[in-house]
Amino acid sequence: MDAKMFCYQCQETAGCAGCTQSGVCGKKPDVAAMQDLLVYVTRGLSAVTTRLRKQGTEVSAQVNHLITLNLFTTITNANFDKAAIEARVSETLSVKAQLLSQLEDTANLPEAALWAGSGDWEAKAATVGVLSTENEDIRSLRELITYGLKGLSAYSKHANALLQEDAELDAFLQRALAATLDDTLTADDLVALTLETGKYGVTGMALLDQANTTAYGNPEITRVKLGVNHRPGILVSGHDLRDLEQLLEQTQGTGVDVYTHSEMLPAHYYPAFKKYPNFVGNYGNAWWKQQEEFERFNGPILMTTNCIVPPRDSYKDRLYTTGAAGYPGCTHIPGEIGQTKDFSALIAHAKTCAAPQELEQGELIGGFAHAQVLALADKVVEAVKSGAIRKFVVMAGCDGRAKSRSYYTDFAKALPQDTVILTAGCAKYKYNKLNPGDINGIPRVLDAGQCNDSYSLAVIALKLKEVFGLEDINDLPIVYNIAWYEQKAVIVLLALLYLGVKNIHLGPTLPAFLSPNVAKVLVENFGIAGIDTVENDLKRFGL
């Protein structure tokens, strides 16, 4: 059967090899083609901006924002709207043409920097996608870097939304993206660039952490309601806290409640959001259960970023998107960085809807980002020294619909009572409702927040290394058993590798974009491994 597309950037890619007929995520071949083309022209624009910087010409924040949003738009489950993606291609070509005219020397620029958009776009896309790099190892490393940069773009975009910038970070992202067009770079060159991407991953995570805590305060231990009220509601999913803030401001006094879904759960941990009386609680579970849960919510849903599952007709008219997110036939709410978005249509829609159907009752506890955990450092250190806590198990990352992911629930259930789970991201939905108890008042599941908050887990590890006077971070009583799904998990992995963390286990499968030789490098140099059975892995981790 002839391939209609090729994409292998997420964990659920078909056969752990690549989606060739249609994306497991729901992405159709024509949308995949336009995403490939958007990445291509963004690489070309990045080659131009990199050359401009070399000649001493400043690149504007608007251009930096365009590039990060382009990459974010192509993250798994973010945007299925072909017309919206084509519009971004057109805008990128226009900006690139303007910047090309400012170059003193255009010699030896890659073809992507010079292509003006002529001809059949889908035919062009077929020649510039993933498989256009023939050498398997070079292709693997280019894609590993690209996916890391896509994850990095998400951190950068969220920080930008809160008016935080890092010019050096933007310059690196564009330089690295342009480098994936450079046929003179060897595999060794690209391995070095991969680790440098991890270095800037740490920078990007720190930037976003600063942006979030400056705007909303440090997350604190919080109990989050799981039930519902009897008023109409709006459900907010995705990751963008600035969108949530604006919606909360605009719903005050309207009689409409606001609930979080999936990765928006950690918004409840920030002090600034607790002042809104209509910010009710969390509704539902991880992103992949949204079809059933969105149908039962009754009110409108706002998708602020990725994690869209193609909606059922029963609620498609209630699904709104904003930012990098998009789905054909769903209303998109515009608004650039620094602008106030108008959510009045969403609020008016909510007023016509019934209250949400209750899915469950009870509460979740979270808010264990680095500032909160470090405030408990003495208590944690005492528990470790006394043997009450024998090991920490980092089970951060992503959730997904594959049946094999039940492994993470079973693994959490099987952990000895003297272990504590450190988590961030929607992977927590596999075990955050198990009620595993506590150790001397320290909950056995410490939720640091979104995948965007994975920086906290690195800060906690580095602080513990300092407290215990260790020279090597790998001497800590911490093991890493991480679930991955999309490209933000890739940048978290690269950041951990840059920090020197070894023996990370990834599951439920290793990335399909790792060629055998690239995988061998990661195994031999960093101890990267997959997962086995729960019983075998408990033994392997010394648990």
Side-chain angles (χ1 to χ4, degrees):
M1 187 181 296
D2 291 338
K4 299 177 181 177
M5 59 178 282
F6 186 82
C7 181
Y8 62 177
Q9 70 176 1
C10 85
Q11 187 274 320
E12 288 187 348
T13 192
C16 200
C19 293
T20 59
Q21 302 301 312
S22 187
V24 171
C25 64
K27 179 170 61 178
K28 302 302 180 186
D30 60 341
V31 173
M34 288 306 99
Q35 289 190 358
D36 286 344
L37 193 63
L38 180 56
V39 171
Y40 176 72
V41 298
T42 305
R43 284 177 165 138
L45 174 56
S46 294
V48 174
T49 60
T50 299
R51 182 75 63 90
L52 282 170
R53 289 188 177 94
K54 284 184 177 179
Q55 73 178 31
T57 301
E58 184 177 352
V59 177
S60 71
Q62 288 75 19
V63 172
N64 293 335
H65 295 165
L66 171 68
I67 290 170
T68 55
L69 188 58
N70 281 358
L71 289 183
F72 199 2
T73 298
T74 67
I75 279 181
T76 303
N77 292 96
N79 201 306
F80 298 81
D81 191 335
K82 180 183 177 184
I85 298 168
E86 288 175 334
R88 297 208 63 80
V89 173
S90 293
E91 182 182 3
T92 303
L93 289 169
S94 176
V95 170
K96 181 162 63 69
Q98 295 171 21
L99 296 182
L100 271 170
S101 67
Q102 299 177 28
L103 278 178
E104 298 166 357
D105 179 14
T106 60
N108 301 317
L109 280 173
E111 194 267 350
L114 301 173
W115 184 66
S118 59
D120 183 326
W121 280 12
E122 289 200 22
K124 181 66 174 179
T127 70
V128 300
V130 172
L131 297 179
S132 62
T133 300
E134 294 184 5
N135 182 286
E136 181 183 32
D137 296 330
I138 298 297
R139 180 198 313 145
S140 177
L141 288 165
R142 284 178 171 177
E143 294 309 304
L144 176 58
I145 292 164
T146 299
Y147 302 153
L149 295 175
K150 287 187 180 189
L152 181 56
S153 76
Y155 291 119
S156 187
K157 188 271 177 187
H158 288 307
N160 295 161
L162 294 171
L163 306 182
Q164 296 277 352
E165 308 278 345
D166 187 321
E168 182 183 345
L169 177 65
D170 288 318
F172 167 77
L173 186 148
Q174 292 159 38
R175 172 170 61 84
L177 194 61
T180 63
L181 295 167
D182 188 347
D183 291 331
T184 69
L185 296 182
T186 65
D188 287 343
D189 294 330
L190 292 173
V191 168
L193 186 57
T194 299
L195 290 179
E196 191 177 8
T197 302
K199 171 186 174 182
Y200 281 94
V202 176
T203 300
M205 288 190 282
L207 178 68
L208 179 55
D209 181 77
Q210 174 185 303
N212 285 340
T213 55
T214 298
Y216 308 120
N218 281 302
E220 56 193 20
I221 299 174
T222 305
R223 295 184 179 276
V224 182
K225 176 182 175 181
L226 297 179
V228 299
N229 286 352
H230 301 293
R231 304 195 307 177
I234 295 172
L235 186 60
V236 185
S237 195
H239 307 76
D240 200 294
L241 297 180
R242 176 60 181 145
D243 287 336
L244 174 64
E245 179 184 26
Q246 292 183 74
L247 180 64
L248 285 168
E249 289 170 348
Q250 293 175 39
T251 53
Q252 294 312 295
T254 64
V256 174
D257 290 329
V258 176
Y259 297 79
T260 57
H261 179 265
S262 192
E263 282 274 58
M264 288 302 284
L265 163 65
H268 294 277
Y269 310 156
Y270 288 93
F273 291 116
K274 296 179 180 181
K275 68 184 180 184
Y276 298 103
N278 65 328
F279 192 34
V280 175
N282 190 70
Y283 188 89
N285 295 277
W287 63 273
W288 61 276
K289 291 188 175 182
Q290 67 187 246
Q291 287 187 330
E292 176 186 347
E293 293 173 353
F294 286 4
E295 189 166 323
R296 296 182 65 184
F297 185 75
N298 294 331
I301 304 104
L302 177 64
M303 296 297 307
T304 64
T305 64
N306 57 309
C307 297
I308 297 174
V309 175
R312 294 176 179 174
D313 290 340
S314 57
Y315 66 83
K316 185 177 179 181
D317 67 324
R318 293 190 279 114
L319 188 68
Y320 292 73
T321 62
T322 193
Y327 197 87
C330 295
T331 300
H332 186 80
I333 297 174
E336 300 298 323
I337 288 170
Q339 295 179 348
T340 299
K341 296 182 180 181
D342 181 3
F343 291 114
S344 57
L346 186 66
I347 296 167
H349 191 165
K351 291 179 178 179
T352 69
C353 299
Q357 297 180 48
E358 189 165 81
L359 297 178
E360 57 193 328
Q361 294 181 340
E363 60 184 18
L364 291 173
I365 185 169
F368 295 96
H370 59 88
Q372 182 64 81
V373 173
L374 297 184
L376 299 172
D378 290 344
K379 195 172 185 179
V380 171
V381 170
E382 180 184 346
V384 173
K385 288 183 175 179
S386 70
I389 295 177
R390 183 160 54 97
K391 279 195 179 178
F392 296 94
V393 184
V394 175
M395 293 180 68
C398 316
D399 198 8
R401 63 202 132 200
K403 291 183 179 178
S404 57
R405 287 180 180 265
S406 63
Y407 160 92
Y408 293 101
T409 302
D410 296 337
F411 186 86
K413 287 179 178 178
L415 284 172
Q417 292 298 306
D418 57 1
T419 57
V420 171
I421 293 173
L422 298 174
T423 192
C426 63
K428 61 176 157 277
Y429 282 101
K430 278 287 185 276
Y431 40 79
N432 67 343
K433 298 178 182 180
L434 295 178
N435 297 316
D438 64 84
I439 299 173
N440 298 339
I442 302 169
R444 290 191 57 237
V445 175
L446 299 182
D447 176 19
Q450 299 178 339
C451 56
N452 291 348
D453 299 312
S454 297
Y455 176 70
S456 277
L457 303 183
V459 171
I460 291 166
L462 291 171
K463 184 62 178 179
L464 289 175
K465 171 175 169 277
E466 175 189 330
V467 168
F468 288 110
L470 301 174
E471 293 187 5
D472 188 340
I473 196 171
N474 297 292
D475 291 334
L476 285 167
I478 300 178
V479 296
Y480 295 82
N481 194 7
I482 296 175
W484 81 281
Y485 182 78
E486 42 91 330
Q487 296 77 64
K488 280 178 283 183
V490 175
I491 193 60
V492 172
L493 172 64
L494 297 183
L496 290 173
L497 297 185
Y498 168 74
L499 291 172
V501 176
K502 295 185 177 181
N503 302 317
I504 297 171
H505 291 255
L506 289 177
T509 58
L510 290 178
F513 52 80
L514 296 181
S515 69
N517 286 332
V518 172
K520 183 179 178 182
V521 169
L522 293 177
V523 170
E524 291 181 351
N525 291 291
F526 301 102
I528 295 291
I531 60 172
D532 196 348
T533 65
V534 169
E535 182 180 6
N536 287 344
D537 283 344
L538 288 172
K539 292 178 182 177
R540 183 160 50 169
F541 289 134
L543 299 171

